[in-house]
């Protein structure tokens, strides 16, 4: 089945009232002027329908009641020679109609409502904007198909190196075994910053050791009383002690201080 037979006709715009005018030949390149037409006496009045089939748009002039085709203008490009706007109004256009034998003629069309003229203009603009996008997409697709493809496969005997952390392997070769600890378990290096050193206990101060006084042992045979022992503990560690011979001398010092 041909591609043209697969295309369907879609309706872009329908306007129930349109006027058709016979226009005089254009005498200059400045464009057509609607004021040169007999606007009060149109030559034909009917319905306008804008359709599209593939990339071509059609402006069809039809009878309001029967729908019989009066004339049609195939449009391959807009703006272009097939549809032109007049220089002195936005409600009037000049279209090129064609019959099946290839004959063509230029006629004027006009809308009573300015909004109808705006819709007619926009429908043609939207259609050919879509045609332009489709053409660009087709061109990009064709360029992608004709562009040489990039071969990313490995050639025969080609190898690559993979570096993962501190381990380096080579594609096609055996990887280095890991060092196993006791029990056959693999040992992994500790994570950085994973451990913190335990706070060390400060050594005992030498001053506190020097100030600590160990009392001398008291022989069992000594007759010194408990008061004498207390006096010996209160004396400085570096002072030399004069041993008392008898308990009378110790109490003698207390008796002398009380006088």
């Amino acid at each position: 089945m041909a591609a043209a037979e697969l295309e369907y006709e879609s309706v872009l715009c329908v306007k129930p009232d349109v006027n058709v005018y016979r226009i005089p030949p254009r005498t200059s390149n400045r464009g057509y002027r609607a004021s040169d037409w007999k606007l009060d006496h149109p030559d034909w009045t009917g319905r306008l329908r804008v359709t599209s089939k593939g990339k071509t748009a059609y402006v069809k002039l039809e009878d309001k009641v029967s729908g019989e085709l009066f004339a049609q203008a195939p449009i391959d490009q807009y703006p272009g020679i097939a549809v032109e706007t007049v220089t002195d109004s936005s409600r009037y256009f000049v279209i090129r109609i064609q019959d099946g034998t290839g004959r063509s003629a230029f006629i004027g069309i006009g809308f009573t409502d300015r909004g109808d003229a705006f819709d007619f203009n926009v429908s043609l603009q939207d259609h050919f904007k879509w045609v332009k996008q489709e053409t660009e997409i087709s061109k990009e697709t064709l360029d992608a198909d004709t562009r040489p493809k990039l071969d990313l496969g490995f050639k025969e005997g080609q190898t690559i190196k993979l570096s993962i952390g501190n381990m380096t392997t080579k594609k096609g070769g055996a990887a280095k075994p890991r060092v196993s600890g006791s029990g056959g378990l693999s040992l992994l290096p500790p994570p950085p910053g994973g451990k913190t050193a335990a706070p060390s206990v400060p050594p005992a101060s030498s001053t506190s050791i020097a100030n600590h006084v160990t009392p001398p042992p008291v022989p069992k045979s000594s007759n010194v009383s408990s008061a004498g022992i207390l006096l010996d503990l209160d004396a400085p560690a570096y002072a030399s002690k004069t041993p008392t011979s008898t308990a009378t001398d110790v109490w003698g010092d207390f008796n002398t201080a009380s006088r």
Side-chain angles (χ1 to χ4, degrees):
M1 186 177 292
E5 296 180 359
L6 295 176
E7 297 176 349
Y8 59 91
E9 186 178 48
S10 60
V11 178
L12 305 179
C13 177
V14 176
K15 293 303 173 182
D17 293 311
V18 64
N19 298 322
V20 176
Y21 305 92
R22 291 180 181 179
I23 60 175
R26 182 167 54 180
T27 58
S28 64
N29 294 328
R30 291 182 301 175
Y32 293 98
R33 292 174 54 88
S35 59
D36 297 335
W37 308 344
K38 299 177 181 180
L39 300 179
D40 297 335
H41 301 86
D43 296 289
W44 185 86
T45 301
R47 178 180 68 186
L48 179 140
R49 196 158 59 99
V50 181
T51 63
S52 66
K53 190 173 182 180
K55 296 182 179 181
T56 305
Y58 297 89
V59 177
K60 296 184 178 183
L61 304 175
E62 301 171 342
D63 185 80
K64 290 183 180 181
V65 179
S66 63
E68 182 182 359
L69 180 65
F70 171 73
Q72 72 173 2
I75 305 170
D76 296 327
Q77 183 182 359
Y78 183 76
I81 192 174
V83 178
E84 298 180 54
T85 58
V86 298
T87 59
D88 57 348
S89 177
S90 61
R91 295 187 292 116
Y92 297 92
F93 302 85
V94 176
I95 63 174
R96 182 183 62 183
I97 59 175
Q98 292 180 347
D99 59 6
T101 61
R103 295 182 302 174
S104 61
F106 290 92
I107 61 174
I109 61 173
F111 301 93
T112 305
D113 188 357
R114 196 176 302 274
D116 292 343
F118 176 80
D119 294 340
F120 170 72
N121 189 24
V122 170
S123 64
L124 292 176
Q125 289 179 351
D126 290 344
H127 171 73
F128 286 99
K129 186 184 296 183
W130 170 81
V131 170
K132 182 179 180 181
Q133 293 176 352
E134 289 293 318
T135 304
E136 292 177 353
I137 293 174
S138 301
K139 184 179 179 181
E140 291 177 359
T141 304
L142 183 61
D143 292 343
D145 294 339
T146 56
R147 188 181 304 126
K149 296 182 180 180
L150 182 62
D151 185 12
L152 299 178
F154 287 102
K155 303 298 185 294
E156 185 178 357
Q158 184 179 6
T159 60
I160 61 172
K161 281 187 177 183
L162 300 177
S163 298
I164 306 175
N166 296 328
M167 181 180 66
T168 303
T169 62
K170 188 175 182 181
K171 186 177 180 63
K176 295 182 180 179
R178 292 184 178 180
V179 180
S180 301
S182 60
L185 298 177
S186 299
L187 300 180
L188 297 177
K195 289 185 178 181
T196 55
S200 58
V201 180
S205 175
S206 58
T207 306
S208 60
I209 297 175
N211 293 337
H212 180 69
V213 178
T214 304
V218 180
K220 295 181 179 180
S221 61
S222 175
N223 295 327
V224 180
S225 62
S226 59
I229 295 174
L230 293 174
L231 290 175
D232 291 338
L233 290 176
D234 292 336
Y238 54 83
S240 61
K241 298 183 182 67
T242 305
T244 56
S245 59
T246 60
T248 307
D249 296 334
V250 176
W251 293 106
D253 293 336
F254 279 100
N255 293 331
T256 305
S258 62
R259 291 178 185 177

